[in-house]
Amino acid sequence: MTTYRIAVIGGTGPQGKGLAYRFARHGHEVVIGSRTAEKAVTTAHEVADRLTAEGHAPVLSGAANVEAAAGAEVVLLSVPYDGHDELVASLADALAGKVVVSCVNPLGFDKRGAYGLDLEQSAAETASGLAPDARVVGAFHHVSAVSLWGEEEYLDHDDVLVVGDDRDAKEVAQELARAVTSRIGVDAGKLRLARQLEPLTAVLISINRTYKVRSGIRITGL
Ligand SMILES: NC(=O)c1ccc[n+]([C@@H]2O[C@H](COP(=O)([O-])OP(=O)(O)OC[C@H]3O[C@@H](n4cnc5c(N)ncnc54)[C@H](OP(=O)(O)O)[C@@H]3O)[C@@H](O)[C@H]2O)c1
């Protein structure tokens, strides 16, 4: 199994922390990133303590976002859409040449629930434009943070859909999916299809509210 040094930008939030936990448990080296290095270190300790108690030997640390990104082979963007563009622009140099995985969902919420924001392009495409030398893919949009931090060994009722224009980068993200679902991620097409994947999460949130579940995506027919 190939292991990677992965920076999780915004790794102090529930989605980044949950993915960091899954990646580190699978043997990847993980650096949690934050706007505040101390906060990143605290979260890294929390994740490492859990993994150690579970009998694993995680390689986990915390750093300011830019340091985390600079030292990584793979960078996961796990920040809210608000502030996303400024953050990615500020990290552009550190992201050059790296596989950058975006799980960012540009969603709005109102009295009727969650909805996809009406944007000209997806968050993943925007990241690619702001960091043109990065190899951006979209993945992990539909896995729930609660499930990621939950007790199930693998979220094997979910598939991770991966979109991107760089074939090798997409394969890296597909491999990383094994840490979450135990299966390789599904090649779901070109990066522009992130425009469809990102707002689909609003549908899952609606289903979750109606049925009081944590729904996910599973592809049949493969
Ligand atoms: N939560 C889920 O179940 C879920 C599922 C699928 C996808 N996602 C997507 O994953 C991303 C992260 O979700 P989340 O729930 O973990 O988000 P979150 O808790 O709101 O934010 C994650 C982290 O991003 C950093 N951050 C917040 N505002 C920022 C800004 N303006 N600029 C730069 N960094 C900022 C914060 O870290 P520091 O303060 O430490 O810098 C925060 O802990 C979102 O785009 C979301 O759509 C979430």
Side-chain angles (χ1 to χ4, degrees):
M1 186 190 91
T2 309
T3 57
Y4 296 100
R5 183 173 163 87
I6 306 170
V8 181
I9 305 303
T12 56
Q15 185 72 359
K17 186 175 83 170
L19 285 166
Y21 165 70
R22 298 279 164 177
F23 293 150
R25 196 172 73 157
H26 209 68
H28 298 291
E29 180 175 348
V30 176
V31 185
I32 303 258
S34 166
R35 289 169 293 181
T36 315
E38 298 73 38
K39 204 173 151 188
V41 170
T42 302
T43 302
H45 280 307
E46 183 191 353
V47 178
D49 287 349
R50 175 174 174 184
L51 284 163
T52 304
E54 291 172 352
H56 301 281
V59 184
L60 255 159
S61 57
N65 283 328
V66 69
E67 272 81 42
E73 298 164 282
V74 177
V75 179
L76 176 80
L77 299 174
S78 185
V79 295
Y81 184 63
D82 272 353
H84 164 273
D85 293 5
E86 294 76 5
L87 179 75
V88 174
S90 75
L91 295 178
D93 288 345
L95 299 180
K98 309 262 163 78
V99 176
V100 174
V101 183
S102 172
C103 68
V104 175
N105 290 319
L107 301 181
F109 294 86
D110 64 14
K111 281 188 295 197
R112 293 191 287 166
Y115 60 95
L117 296 179
D118 196 8
L119 303 171
E120 280 186 15
Q121 57 180 6
S122 62
E125 289 171 287
T126 304
S128 182
L130 292 166
D133 296 324
R135 302 158 67 200
V136 178
V137 300
F140 303 106
H141 299 98
H142 310 122
V143 285
S144 138
V146 177
S147 299
L148 288 168
W149 190 248
E151 300 299 325
E152 284 174 83
E153 189 178 3
Y154 288 104
L155 312 186
D156 47 13
H157 46 276
D158 284 72
D159 273 319
V160 171
L161 306 189
V162 183
V163 291
D165 295 336
D166 179 319
R167 180 189 284 259
D168 293 342
K170 199 153 60 169
E171 281 178 6
V172 170
Q174 286 178 267
E175 279 301 315
L176 291 180
R178 290 188 194 278
V180 174
T181 64
S182 81
R183 292 185 309 281
I184 192 164
V186 176
D187 180 346
K190 297 291 185 190
L191 191 67
R192 66 179 181 180
L193 293 181
R195 291 180 213 177
Q196 278 69 45
L197 289 192
E198 293 171 359
L200 184 58
T201 308
V203 178
L204 297 179
I205 293 170
S206 174
I207 292 168
N208 293 349
R209 288 198 175 158
T210 303
Y211 292 93
K212 314 287 179 235
V213 293
R214 292 197 301 275
S215 60
I217 299 277
R218 182 80 197 257
I219 303 300
T220 61
L222 284 177

